[in-house]
Amino acid sequence: MKATIDFDDTLYRRLKIEAARRGRTVRELVAEGVQYVLDTPDMTGAKGAALGTPDTPWNPAWIGSLAGFAVKVDDHSMPAVRRSIATARARGGKR
């Protein structure tokens, strides 16, 4: 089946570059991305709101035991999470 998808120009350029880098076609990369989204558990919170919205905390599944530390940071970047962990360790493990 064919479908037409409108991409922002910058996003499409990035997609083309990534497909070339991987030695794949844009079609293959898009299909792989769609498959990934369909196979990944739904990351919505209560009321169907996406995680990370003001109504629900950001708590990705991949962060596992670090989730408690991630709640303590504003930007949720790995450096911020690492700083949070270091601060907790300095306090004797309390988050």
Side-chain angles (χ1 to χ4, degrees):
M1 171 175 271
K2 289 187 177 195
T4 300
I5 303 171
D6 291 323
F7 287 102
D8 172 87
D9 290 341
T10 303
L11 180 62
Y12 188 71
R13 269 188 244 118
R14 289 178 59 203
L15 178 61
K16 283 179 71 170
I17 290 167
E18 186 61 25
R21 189 184 72 73
R22 294 180 184 212
R24 315 268 305 277
T25 66
V26 168
R27 180 185 304 227
E28 290 170 336
L29 212 56
V30 169
E32 181 180 323
V34 170
Q35 189 67 51
Y36 175 79
V37 168
L38 296 175
D39 291 345
T40 302
D42 188 10
M43 296 299 290
T44 58
K47 304 178 209 168
L51 290 178
T53 64
D55 295 336
T56 58
W58 180 81
N59 190 7
W62 60 264
I63 206 159
S65 64
L66 299 178
F69 296 106
V71 173
K72 303 288 183 188
V73 297
D74 293 330
D75 65 5
H76 303 294
S77 66
M78 284 310 296
V81 172
R82 286 184 185 112
R83 283 191 302 276
S84 177
I85 293 168
T87 301
R89 285 183 178 158
R91 293 181 184 152
K94 295 180 182 176
R95 295 178 189 157

